[in-house]
């Protein structure tokens, strides 16, 4: 009999989109719900936020699991005790139909901030919320006005994210949410959700790629440094070629590229 869990995972993977899509959906929600005033419709926002969390974080779990340096952490993860890797799963992995990360990432729950903390803490071997608290003070929330509100209290921020999960649970399972939603509260909820994904991003990628630049400024600096190193190496090669042909006739058809144009040896 075909592994039912594997079939469900394969179907979900076929529906899933690129890694950046859940984050883009969160950002588009700021515009999509900006002019909606119906509280019943606005109740959909925490449901959609948690759905975006679940899809995006599942893809991060996959990245971590497929990185062999974190495999040692898998044996201690409580949620993976129910994972059944039978011959169907092994065959799919060996055929490169799915990866181990694809399969196991579906066993991580995403119903609360506690689940997120536990999942990333166990996968990465760190205290995830502590790392988030250390980063949180550098983050800002974009208001409706041009100014930005800096997050001043990490614990308050985490409580807001926790409340999004709580609201989603009540709406989906109790249908008895008693506080009306409005544009302002919904907009703030989405903004905090966006910052939360950015923080999770930074923490995960620091562990996956410890020497890679994260900010655009760091990327620009890294790009300039890489260009300078390549340019220095090219100049070194040019000098070697000039020395080699110093006392001989330069080949007629020999040329090299520098600064986007071909340079004949005679020009050197």
């Amino acid at each position: 009999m075909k592994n039912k869990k594997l079939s469900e995972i394969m179907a979900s993977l076929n529906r899933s989109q690129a890694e950046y899509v859940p984050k883009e959906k969160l950002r588009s929600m700021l515009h999509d719900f900006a002019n909606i005033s119906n509280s019943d419709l606005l109740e959909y926002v925490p449901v959609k936020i948690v759905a975006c969390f679940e899809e995006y974080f599942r893809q991060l779990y996959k990245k971590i699991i497929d990185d062999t340096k974190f495999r040692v952490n898998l044996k201690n993860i409580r949620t993976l005790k129910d994972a059944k890797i039978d011959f169907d799963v092994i065959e799919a992995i060996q055929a490169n139909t799915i990866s181990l990360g694809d399969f196991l990432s579906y066993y991580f729950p995403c119903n609360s901030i506690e689940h997120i903390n536990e999942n990333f803490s166990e996968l990465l071997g760190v205290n995830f919320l502590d790392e988030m608290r250390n980063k949180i003070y550098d983050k800002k929330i974009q208001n409706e006005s041009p100014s930005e509100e800096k997050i001043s209290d990490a614990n308050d921020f985490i409580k807001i994210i926790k409340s999004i999960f709580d609201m989603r649970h009540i709406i989906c399972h109790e249908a008895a949410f008693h506080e009306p939603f409005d544009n302002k509260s919904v907009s703030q909820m989405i903004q905090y959700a966006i910052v939360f994904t950015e923080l999770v991003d930074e923490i995960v990628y620091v562990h996956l790629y410890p020497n890679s630049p994260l900010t655009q400024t760091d990327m620009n600096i890294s790009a300039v440094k890489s260009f300078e190193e390549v340019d220095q190496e090219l100049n070194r090669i040019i000098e070697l070629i000039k020395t080699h042909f110093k006392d001989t006739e330069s080949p007629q058809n020999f040329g090299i590229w520098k600064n986007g144009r071909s340079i004949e040896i005679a020009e050197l």
Side-chain angles (χ1 to χ4, degrees), residues 52-166:
C52 289
F53 283 168
E54 185 167 6
E55 172 63 15
Y56 183 56
F57 295 160
R58 186 196 64 74
Q59 295 189 38
L60 291 182
Y61 302 150
K62 165 192 158 46
K63 278 183 176 289
I64 297 169
I65 294 168
D66 285 338
D67 190 320
T68 54
K69 66 175 175 283
F70 297 105
R71 291 279 174 84
V72 68
N73 297 330
L74 297 181
K75 62 182 179 181
N76 299 318
I77 297 177
R78 179 176 53 83
T79 57
L80 295 183
K81 296 187 184 299
D82 296 327
K84 296 180 180 179
I85 301 181
D86 56 19
F87 285 110
D88 288 334
V89 176
I90 293 171
E91 183 180 0
I93 292 173
Q94 288 184 332
N96 292 321
T97 305
I98 64 171
S99 70
L100 182 65
D102 282 324
F103 182 75
L104 294 181
S105 64
Y106 280 89
Y107 282 88
F108 291 89
C110 184
N111 298 321
S112 67
I113 186 71
E114 289 79 16
H115 281 154
I116 303 301
N117 177 47
E118 181 179 342
N119 295 342
F120 283 115
S121 293
E122 291 181 337
L123 281 170
L124 295 172
V126 300
N127 189 313
F128 195 74
L129 280 186
D130 278 355
E131 294 205 7
M132 179 167 287
R133 288 186 181 96
N134 292 334
K135 284 182 172 291
I136 220 163
Y137 297 103
D138 296 330
K139 289 295 177 182
K140 295 180 179 180
I141 300 295
Q142 181 70 51
N143 295 320
E144 294 177 359
S145 62
S147 62
E148 291 181 335
E149 170 195 349
K150 191 171 184 179
I151 300 171
S152 58
D153 191 294
N155 290 325
D156 284 347
F157 175 84
I158 291 171
K159 285 179 182 177
I160 291 172
I161 300 301
K162 182 180 185 302
S163 72
I164 295 174
F165 282 100
D166 292 342

